[in-house]
Amino acid sequence: MAALSPASNQASLGVLANPDSVVSSPVPQLSIPINRNFQIINEAEEALLIDFPVDNYVRIRVRGEGAPELLLELQGNERSQKFLSQLKRAQQQVPHKVAAPVRPQRGLKAANPPIPTSAVTPNQNHSTLAKQAATGKQDPPNSLASDFGFEDKFNSLKVEEKKNQQNRIVAPREPPPVPPLPPRKASQAPSNPVPPVPTPKDRSSSIQSKDSSFITPARQEYRSPVDRLDRSPSWSNSPTTNTLRFSSQAGQREYLIKHHLAKKEKEYVDIHNFKFFTGTWNVNGQSPEGSLKPWLCCDPEAPDVYALGFQELDLSKEAFFYLDSSKEQLWVEAVERSLHPKARYKRVQVIRLVGMMLVVFVNKVHKSYIKEVAAEHVGTGIMGKMGNKGGVAVRFVFHNTSFCFVNSHLAAHVEDFERRNQDYKDICARMTFHLLDYPPLSIVKHDVVIWLGDLNYRLSSIDAAEVKRLISQNELKALQTYDQLNVQRQTKRVFTDFMEGEINFIPTYKYDTKTDRWDSSGKCRVPAWCDRILWRGGNVKQLDYRSHMELQTSDHKPVSSLFSVGVKVVNEQRYKKVFEDIVRKLDRMENDCLPSLTLSQTDFTFENVKFRQLQKERFVITNDGQVLCSFAFIPKLNDSQYCKSWLRAEPSDGFLEPNETLEICLEVYVSKDSVTLLNSGQDTIEDILVLHLDRGKDFFITISGNYLPSCFGTSLDTLCRMKKPIREIPITKLIDLEKSKVSFLVVDGAGNEDKPLKIPKEVWLLVNHLYTKSCQQEDLFLTPGLQEELQSIFDCLDTSIPDSIPGCNHSVAEALLIFLEALPEPVVCYELYQRSLECSHDSRLCKQLISKLPRAHRNVFRYLMAFLRELLKHSHKNNLTASLIASLFASLLIRPPPNVVGRQSQPDRQKAINFILGFLMAGDEE
């Protein structure tokens, strides 16, 4: 609960918070003065590819004096908008004062010379709202409109003024698909936070109730796949900027104690074995038929934990676009009815993404020992965002052991094993759990990981008849030599740290539905072990690995695995003794010594940085002191983040024991959120990182490099005035092109040569390729491209005017979508966004609105509509429908302005779809 409380001389924000609302240390009640130090920041979110809502909530971060940072979630209704407006007015009434010079902290020395003021200007690549909060400068008449997206009227001049606004407001960073990294020793947050001393709190409060833990289809704690964790405002966010861990000596000391407790864990825990039942089933869009007990109750003893994954739960278009699915509840209820009768179970968590669902149950006698529950998802469909393929995951701590269960559905088709490998790496790189007291946790930062699902790996280089012959002779081991997953694991391309039990059951795919007969359709699929269960971690023993032929609902057979897992259980007496020893040791260390650190390198250069191409540099830090030291990258003065949006340091904070070393990786990645500023020369590959040593000195790390401009992230008007590839144009002329509002040609000659192109040549090249070669391509715009091919396409368009575009049809299609998504101003300009929604019911008004677009935008829109109508003429071949295309392109062509608070509502989203649908259903004369 939050309320604005006016006082005689100063307003304040009163917050009655539950523990989950506070980012760091929970407090029962807060009163935050609204003064120069008060900040309110909207949790930015990326523009969605298929931008269907899963909730209509607004998340804001509040910072102020004498209070921990808060993450508040408000309903996206009129009442919340009014409250936010009142809050902003109160903030505007705070008198502006010139900030006094910052006094150096006592005892701190700069490791390098002072940073020139010009190198750390606060205006470089920060959101407008963050800058206003930091400087206190706002335009009173327009501040509410700019902050919350309220526009009184349309002004044609604002269309040009708002170029590149999408990129000036930094949205959540979309990390590149890279393979998972092993946990780093010093930076990894303890996965098993220990209870406080002397008496641990009742752990029953840490598990959610049945109703609250179940994620309903309308609001599922997961978000659209492109929305990479809305609690992470920027890729460059440091955990130190989101918590109070380092903001007070008491918080620092508490975290140090937890760090030491984690290292001494073996001294106060005992290993107890518990049984975990895991299962996976691709149900092919069917509803449950009869009991699931042949699958879930096949063991004589009741398991302690169930983790069950489903794929293709719902194949309807409604589920594909993240709307409600009645089958989710049907299958959850069917599972609950079929759990082992010798125990009573509590539902821990449910998460669904389109057809993938993961549900976890725990024996009620253990429910008080389940804590820190979190669920996340990753979509790996087209552009890595649509949720027809991908993964869902649930993590929690059981006693003192952390678990992560991943349910995935990877790319289909026999020949596409590379896409499956790519999906796996993408899930590993992007699946991140955010907990209030710890840095983000990846999949591998858990004690035990169990990965299950329809992994879709097939049998290669063998025909169906030979496979069936070997199966009939029970030559399963010989058959497994053709298994793609086994081959990819042996060559260490996927699941390198995972183990899989011996497969003694026949392939689980593909059967005629409702039977045990192999596929008899025209495609006659080769039988394969698509459905698998793998694991990693210590103290894990697989007791059984089997399929369940009795269940005939689907064209897949369910698979299950029973594990005995050694779980770390805290001995309270020994824990208390270790805790007290650590406290006494810290007392002595703090009195005796100051921390010290050395860096192997402080200057880094990144050459030829490109759009969506990851570059890495590494350096080593060493604790050369006598005490444990705590380090963190911290924001520079007046900055909200410790680095620019295209840069990240991993890990960004941590601890080092005396003589311990740690490798820090610097990653440069230009996404759509930073590409426009770099293209236009408003930003450069230059930054200075401040590495802060608690109770020690600061270290300054210099980042420099050169960026190669890209047509991706460049405005349509600018591209129409370029008749050469963008890499052939000097940066000074690129800057002039972006600033110029008249026809400025980068060519020699006169006459017709001086006329801008009707549409950008890059749009024509992409669409023409698809028009001439891909109209009958099956699942066009539904199947993702390959990362290597996408980079080749980017380079090709940036450096040449090619006769043909490299890569498969799916890669070219995805490149077109990425181009549209990266535009700083969408095809339907931000200024006309609201009007486009209002006229979506009337085709005549829609046509009039398009005629008001700037020339380049108008031509691109009409060109795309003509191409999409042509695609629909081949729908019997490419499997596309008008509603699917409208849903896909509406979120790219008609995007809400970036300063709009909260997500686009479902009614507005449907209006945008209807707007596009009207043009798709019109005749060719359009």
Side-chain angles (χ1 to χ4, degrees):
M1 296 177 62
L4 184 63
S5 304
S8 57
N9 57 351
Q10 185 182 71
S12 64
L13 176 66
V15 180
L16 182 62
N18 59 57
D20 292 337
S21 302
V22 185
V23 175
S24 57
S25 304
V27 291
Q29 189 167 356
L30 294 172
S31 180
I32 306 174
I34 299 178
N35 53 24
R36 288 185 302 108
N37 297 321
F38 180 83
Q39 294 184 21
I40 175 172
I41 300 175
N42 176 36
E43 288 285 87
E45 297 174 7
E46 286 196 45
L48 301 181
L49 172 62
I50 295 295
D51 192 15
F52 286 85
V54 292
D55 57 37
N56 189 22
Y57 278 71
V58 179
R59 295 178 178 86
I60 59 173
R61 251 174 222 284
V62 178
R63 301 167 183 160
E65 286 185 359
E69 181 173 309
L70 304 181
L71 177 61
L72 303 180
E73 187 177 81
L74 308 177
Q75 286 189 341
N77 53 27
E78 183 178 351
R79 181 180 178 187
S80 297
Q81 296 285 2
K82 183 177 179 181
F83 174 72
L84 291 173
S85 300
Q86 293 173 344
L87 198 59
K88 296 300 295 183
R89 290 195 194 96
Q91 187 180 14
Q92 292 164 12
Q93 294 171 3
V94 176
H96 174 64
K97 299 179 182 179
V98 178
V102 179
R103 180 177 300 174
Q105 297 184 32
R106 184 176 301 175
L108 299 188
K109 297 180 180 179
N112 292 333
I115 309 173
T117 304
S118 61
V120 291
T121 58
N123 296 325
Q124 294 181 353
N125 210 21
H126 291 283
S127 73
T128 302
L129 185 57
K131 285 189 289 188
Q132 289 177 348
T135 63
K137 295 181 180 179
Q138 289 182 319
D139 181 9
N142 299 320
S143 59
L144 286 179
S146 62
D147 288 338
F148 298 113
F150 303 137
E151 302 273 347
D152 292 333
K153 59 183 178 179
F154 168 68
N155 185 339
S156 59
L157 294 178
K158 289 184 180 178
V159 174
E160 298 297 335
E161 293 170 0
K162 286 195 173 182
K163 297 291 186 184
N164 303 335
Q165 281 300 311
Q166 176 192 23
N167 297 75
R168 290 196 181 106
I169 295 187
V170 180
R173 176 71 178 264
E174 176 184 330
V178 294
L181 298 174
R184 289 182 172 86
K185 182 177 180 182
S187 64
Q188 178 176 337
S191 60
N192 45 353
V194 290
V197 171
T199 305
K201 295 181 181 179
D202 181 11
R203 305 185 193 197
S204 62
S205 62
S206 64
I207 189 169
Q208 302 175 16
S209 66
K210 179 174 180 178
D211 292 336
S212 62
S213 66
F214 178 76
I215 303 179
T216 62
R219 219 201 127 193
Q220 295 178 345
E221 235 0 89
Y222 63 79
R223 292 149 296 280
S224 172
V226 69
D227 179 14
R228 317 279 190 229
L229 306 171
D230 60 6
R231 285 163 289 189
S232 179
S234 170
W235 195 51
S236 60
N237 265 9
S238 165
T240 60
T241 65
N242 292 337
T243 70
L244 285 184
R245 193 186 315 146
F246 301 105
S247 61
S248 67
Q249 188 170 356
Q252 171 73 15
R253 182 179 176 85
E254 178 185 355
Y255 203 76
L256 285 170
I257 291 173
K258 288 184 177 182
H259 176 75
H260 281 287
L261 282 170
K263 296 178 78 77
K264 292 178 174 289
E265 184 184 55
K266 291 183 179 180
E267 298 181 21
Y268 60 84
V269 298
D270 299 313
I271 303 299
H272 294 181
N273 290 323
F274 294 87
K275 289 185 178 180
F276 285 69
F277 182 101
T278 59
T280 176
W281 194 7
N282 182 321
V283 296
N284 192 32
Q286 304 296 315
S287 298
E289 298 177 352
S291 174
L292 304 181
K293 287 187 176 181
W295 177 33
L296 305 181
C297 297
C298 56
D299 299 303
E301 298 299 323
D304 298 290
V305 176
Y306 278 99
L308 306 173
F310 295 86
Q311 306 85 40
E312 295 189 4
L313 194 78
D314 194 333
L315 299 178
S316 67
K317 297 297 182 185
E318 292 76 15
F320 184 74
F321 294 135
Y322 318 134
L323 302 181
D324 197 357
S325 171
S326 59
K327 290 187 178 180
E328 174 181 337
Q329 187 65 18
L330 290 175
W331 278 101
V332 170
E333 291 174 353
V335 168
E336 290 178 336
R337 291 192 299 268
S338 302
L339 296 176
H340 208 288
K342 291 187 179 180
R344 298 179 61 195
Y345 291 90
K346 169 75 175 181
R347 193 191 310 169
V348 176
Q349 190 67 289
V350 175
I351 181 169
R352 179 180 62 85
L353 174 63
V354 189
M356 292 171 287
M357 182 176 75
L358 180 63
V359 55
V360 177
F361 293 88
V362 63
N363 190 322
K364 281 193 173 184
V365 301
H366 305 309
K367 68 177 183 179
S368 60
Y369 299 103
I370 296 281
K371 53 193 174 185
E372 297 176 21
V373 180
E376 288 298 343
H377 76 278
V378 166
T380 61
I382 186 74
M383 292 177 69
K385 298 167 185 179
M386 293 177 69
N388 54 321
K389 294 293 187 290
V392 293
V394 173
R395 64 90 55 196
F396 57 84
V397 174
F398 182 41
H399 285 282
N400 234 45
T401 298
S402 60
F403 289 84
C404 180
F405 294 93
V406 183
N407 170 32
S408 67
H409 191 190
L410 307 184
H413 306 304
V414 176
E415 66 279 6
D416 281 342
F417 63 89
E418 288 288 358
R419 293 184 192 275
R420 289 187 273 279
N421 295 351
Q422 180 176 296
D423 287 351
Y424 163 76
K425 295 173 184 178
D426 208 7
I427 293 170
C428 289
R430 290 165 44 201
M431 186 76 76
T432 309
F433 302 94
H434 285 238
L435 302 173
L436 294 179
D437 295 325
Y438 303 102
L441 295 175
S442 64
I443 291 173
V444 297
K445 290 185 178 180
H446 291 82
D447 297 322
V448 176
V449 179
I450 298 180
W451 195 307
L452 51 91
D454 180 0
L455 306 186
N456 249 328
Y457 287 95
R458 310 298 177 89
L459 300 178
S460 294
S461 306
I462 186 171
D463 59 32
E466 179 64 12
V467 170
K468 294 173 184 176
R469 185 188 69 80
L470 291 173
I471 292 173
S472 65
Q473 297 177 1
N474 201 30
E475 295 288 341
L476 299 184
K477 287 188 177 181
L479 192 57
Q480 288 167 23
T481 60
Y482 299 94
D483 180 74
Q484 291 177 343
L485 181 56
N486 289 341
V487 172
Q488 298 303 305
R489 288 181 61 215
Q490 289 165 6
T491 54
K492 299 190 181 300
R493 296 185 179 181
V494 291
F495 293 101
T496 53
D497 298 326
F498 285 79
M499 294 178 284
E500 184 181 22
E502 184 177 355
I503 298 178
N504 294 316
F505 50 89
I506 65 175
T508 55
Y509 173 85
K510 178 182 183 180
Y511 296 86
D512 289 339
T513 304
K514 317 292 185 187
T515 74
D516 291 332
R517 296 191 306 270
W518 297 115
D519 178 28
S520 61
S521 68
K523 294 182 178 181
C524 193
R525 302 286 192 187
V526 177
W529 286 283
C530 291
D531 311 284
R532 313 288 274 268
I533 301 175
L534 301 92
W535 77 91
R536 73 188 296 268
N539 297 318
V540 180
K541 180 181 179 182
Q542 189 178 55
L543 303 179
D544 218 332
Y545 192 23
R546 61 259 167 137
S547 66
H548 301 269
M549 298 294 293
E550 307 95 314
L551 298 178
Q552 301 178 342
T553 304
S554 171
D555 56 353
H556 290 248
K557 299 298 182 183
V559 172
S560 70
S561 179
L562 183 66
F563 295 99
S564 174
V565 181
V567 174
K568 296 174 286 190
V569 178
V570 174
N571 181 293
E572 300 294 349
Q573 290 183 343
R574 300 206 309 269
Y575 165 75
K576 183 176 181 180
K577 181 179 183 302
V578 172
F579 177 89
E580 292 170 348
D581 290 343
I582 290 172
V583 171
R584 284 193 294 268
K585 181 181 177 181
L586 284 178
D587 289 340
R588 290 195 300 269
M589 291 169 54
E590 289 174 356
N591 293 330
D592 293 343
C593 303
L594 290 176
S596 177
L597 200 66
T598 58
L599 281 65
S600 63
Q601 186 177 348
T602 57
D603 296 294
F604 297 90
T605 301
F606 292 85
E607 298 288 349
N608 299 328
V609 176
K610 298 179 182 179
F611 175 60
R612 285 174 59 109
Q613 188 174 82
L614 178 68
Q615 289 195 31
K616 295 182 179 182
E617 292 284 349
R618 293 176 170 83
F619 67 99
V620 175
I621 60 175
T622 304
N623 183 352
D624 58 352
Q626 302 179 37
V627 294
L628 178 121
C629 68
S630 165
F631 69 89
F633 289 95
I634 61 173
K636 297 177 285 292
L637 183 64
N638 294 329
D639 285 356
S640 61
Q641 307 300 332
Y642 72 83
C643 65
K644 293 184 179 181
S645 62
W646 43 260
L647 178 63
R648 178 171 68 175
E650 176 63 33
S652 60
D653 60 10
F655 296 91
L656 284 175
E657 297 284 353
N659 301 317
E660 187 177 10
T661 63
L662 174 68
E663 183 181 76
I664 293 181
C665 181
L666 299 176
E667 300 177 354
V668 169
Y669 180 77
V670 178
S671 72
K672 69 181 182 64
D673 304 310
S674 50
V675 64
T676 296
L677 294 176
L678 289 166
N679 282 341
S680 62
Q682 299 177 63
D683 192 12
T684 57
I685 303 297
E686 293 180 357
D687 202 359
I688 294 178
L689 302 181
V690 181
L691 181 61
H692 174 68
L693 182 60
D694 186 63
R695 298 190 305 124
K697 58 188 178 182
D698 289 347
F699 299 83
F700 299 105
I701 300 170
T702 303
I703 308 296
S704 61
N706 68 296
Y707 170 73
L708 301 179
S710 175
C711 61
F712 290 77
T714 301
S715 67
L716 293 176
D717 289 336
T718 299
L719 291 173
C720 282
R721 297 196 296 273
M722 293 181 189
K723 295 187 178 179
K724 292 182 179 180
I726 193 169
R727 297 270 175 84
E728 296 183 14
I729 301 174
I731 185 64
T732 54
K733 291 189 176 181
L734 280 177
I735 295 173
D736 290 339
L737 278 172
E738 282 292 347
K739 291 180 179 179
S740 174
K741 305 307 176 191
V742 298
S743 179
F744 184 97
L745 292 179
V746 192
V747 293
D748 298 325
N752 291 332
E753 290 294 315
D754 292 332
K755 295 181 180 179
L757 299 170
K758 290 186 177 180
I759 63 172
K761 58 187 178 302
E762 294 81 5
V763 174
W764 182 85
L765 287 166
L766 291 169
V767 172
N768 186 63
H769 176 101
L770 296 173
Y771 175 75
T772 57
K773 300 181 180 180
S774 310
C775 282
Q776 298 186 32
Q777 175 69 57
E778 184 180 1
D779 293 335
L780 190 69
F781 292 119
L782 300 179
T783 300
L786 295 172
Q787 296 299 324
E788 298 82 1
E789 293 182 356
L790 283 171
Q791 196 59 56
S792 297
I793 294 172
F794 300 159
D795 289 339
C796 178
L797 294 176
D798 289 337
T799 59
S800 66
I801 303 177
D803 294 329
S804 62
I805 296 180
C808 68
N809 293 336
H810 295 302
S811 295
V812 177
E814 184 168 359
L816 174 62
L817 299 181
I818 293 173
F819 178 91
L820 295 173
E821 186 188 40
L823 285 173
E825 183 88 18
V827 175
V828 176
C829 301
Y830 287 133
E831 286 291 346
L832 290 174
Y833 168 74
Q834 193 59 43
R835 285 193 173 188
S836 69
L837 302 184
E838 294 169 356
C839 70
S840 61
H841 65 285
D842 189 323
S843 61
R844 180 182 58 85
L845 295 177
C846 293
K847 295 173 188 175
Q848 291 178 0
L849 183 139
I850 295 302
S851 68
K852 295 179 181 179
L853 290 174
R855 179 176 178 273
H857 292 247
R858 180 174 66 250
N859 290 341
V860 168
F861 183 88
R862 289 172 174 169
Y863 185 56
L864 288 173
M865 292 302 107
F867 163 62
L868 295 176
R869 285 195 294 270
E870 188 65 27
L871 277 185
L872 290 175
K873 295 178 181 179
H874 303 273
S875 59
H876 60 288
K877 293 282 189 179
N878 55 37
N879 296 333
L880 294 174
T881 64
S883 60
L884 191 152
I885 290 179
S887 301
L888 175 61
F889 279 85
S891 60
L892 296 174
L893 305 180
I894 309 176
R895 299 199 301 263
N899 57 0
V900 171
V901 171
R903 291 207 183 134
Q904 190 182 33
S905 67
Q906 172 56 25
D908 285 352
R909 196 169 281 110
Q910 189 59 50
K911 290 177 183 177
I913 294 171
N914 292 342
F915 185 97
I916 300 298
L917 200 58
F919 288 92
L920 295 180
M921 303 307 292
D924 289 337
E925 68 275 6
E926 291 296 325

